[in-house]
Amino acid sequence: MIIRSADLEIVCGITSEIPDTDYPEIAFAGKSNVGKSSLINTLLNRKGLARTSSQPGKTQTINFYNINQTMYLVDLPGYGYATASVEIKAQWGKMIERYLHTSKQLLAVFLLIDVRHEPSENDCLMYQWMLEQGYSPVIIATKMDKISRGELDRNIARVRKVLGTKEDTVILPFSAQTKQGTEEIWRLMETLAFGAPLEEETRAQQQARIAHEKQVAEQKAIADAQARGEEYAPKKERWKKAGHPVAKKTAQKHQAKKAAKHKALGKNPNKRK
């Protein structure tokens, strides 16, 4: 998907009502420090949209990220945060349960598991609980760059065994460092949200879009100039197209050097062979 806009639009706390949104929702769950914020930032190609922290349990709200005014990525609070009180953990659990039961647009839940380690008891409880709620979580095996390819295959098999997943459960390896798995995750989310993966822009579509955006920008500049009582003057082209963009002064220097070289050799650069 080409990300044209990505905004944190809705934040739900423990006492907030679950919003009734207009777009499909894909939710992300996982224990604290499993890499949910890093995953979301990588998917959206934004460095700091979802805040990452060395302190687990940072996300204590349900965060709705609006993508291109077409869908929401929903970041659920991390579970298994050791230093959180029993009361706070219970409130987070109720908040997540309320969201899963209340949302009319939720299509799927992606459960993040750190592929380096055996799924924890909390991971197993969350997975089984989601099955009981009527969802078949897609598993994202995070931090795949931290282990070898051979270890990755063995560890994914271990994740399946420990969680007790069904044979058709999808497990997608992912790395926020190398961005491996990003396209596969997007392809699945687009299929869930829109029925099929969205096609990338063709070169002609891209050129048409750029030309349209340039025209809109120029019309705005004209309107702004008129509002100031000034005459609109378009910016002069700074670059000369010659196979690849080069500065005019640089091109002139090249021509001057070439002419000087021919002159020194007694050649006529304009003479045809």
Side-chain angles (χ1 to χ4, degrees):
M1 175 179 283
I2 298 173
I3 307 299
R4 296 193 176 90
S5 65
D7 303 292
L8 175 56
E9 187 173 283
I10 305 170
V11 176
C12 286
I14 292 172
T15 59
S16 303
E17 291 187 8
I18 302 300
D20 186 9
T21 67
D22 297 325
Y23 305 123
E25 298 169 11
I26 305 285
F28 294 90
K31 68 181 181 181
S32 302
N33 212 27
V34 74
K36 276 194 295 94
S37 296
S38 297
L39 168 68
I40 291 173
N41 286 332
T42 302
L43 291 175
L44 303 183
N45 198 25
R46 301 289 195 275
K47 287 187 177 181
L49 185 59
R51 294 183 179 179
T52 59
S53 175
S54 58
Q55 178 186 3
K58 182 78 173 177
T59 302
Q60 300 180 17
T61 54
I62 300 178
N63 298 331
F64 291 71
Y65 296 91
N66 188 327
I67 316 304
N68 294 346
Q69 299 295 317
T70 58
M71 67 182 295
Y72 285 101
L73 301 190
V74 182
D75 185 8
L76 301 177
Y79 56 83
Y81 182 34
T83 61
S85 67
V86 175
E87 181 182 357
I88 292 297
K89 288 179 181 178
Q91 290 177 331
W92 289 352
K94 290 180 181 178
M95 182 166 57
I96 295 173
E97 183 176 10
R98 189 156 46 91
Y99 169 69
L100 294 180
H101 286 167
T102 305
S103 175
K104 298 177 182 178
Q105 297 286 3
L106 179 60
L107 299 178
V109 180
F110 285 58
L111 179 61
L112 279 65
I113 303 290
D114 187 336
V115 76
R116 299 174 300 174
H117 311 297
E118 181 176 311
S120 66
E121 182 181 356
N122 282 323
D123 290 328
C124 296
L125 289 172
M126 177 60 75
Y127 180 73
Q128 292 300 323
W129 181 72
M130 287 183 177
L131 291 178
E132 293 171 3
Q133 305 307 311
Y135 292 94
S136 298
V138 174
I139 307 300
I140 297 181
T142 64
K143 306 186 181 182
M144 63 174 289
D145 58 289
K146 306 295 184 182
I147 57 178
S148 67
R149 179 66 201 183
E151 288 178 304
L152 177 64
D153 293 337
R154 290 194 298 271
N155 289 9
I156 286 178
R158 183 176 63 182
V159 168
R160 286 190 179 280
K161 181 179 179 180
V162 174
L163 290 181
T165 64
K166 300 177 182 178
E167 291 184 4
D168 59 350
T169 298
V170 177
I171 298 183
L172 300 174
F174 171 77
S175 167
Q177 294 295 323
T178 65
K179 300 187 178 181
Q180 288 177 274
T182 303
E183 291 184 8
E184 290 78 4
I185 295 172
W186 265 120
R187 195 175 299 123
L188 178 56
M189 290 196 300
E190 290 169 351
T191 300
L192 291 168
F194 311 114
L198 300 181
E199 296 182 1
E200 294 290 339
E201 284 183 313
T202 64
R203 187 172 181 83
Q205 290 172 331
Q206 186 182 50
Q207 290 174 341
R209 176 176 58 80
I210 292 173
H212 174 70
E213 290 173 353
K214 186 176 180 181
Q215 182 181 13
V216 170
E218 186 174 13
Q219 290 173 347
K220 184 178 183 302
I222 293 173
D224 290 343
Q226 290 176 344
R228 294 192 302 267
E230 301 174 356
E231 184 178 351
Y232 172 70
K235 293 182 179 179
K236 294 182 179 180
E237 290 290 335
R238 185 179 176 186
W239 303 97
K240 177 183 177 182
K241 293 182 179 179
H244 59 279
V246 294
K248 285 186 177 181
K249 288 185 178 180
T250 303
Q252 290 169 355
K253 286 181 180 179
H254 285 316
Q255 291 294 335
K257 281 186 178 181
K258 188 176 180 181
K261 183 178 179 181
H262 282 297
K263 185 176 181 181
L265 295 174
K267 295 181 179 180
N268 182 358
N270 297 320
K271 183 178 179 180
R272 294 183 179 179
K273 294 183 178 179

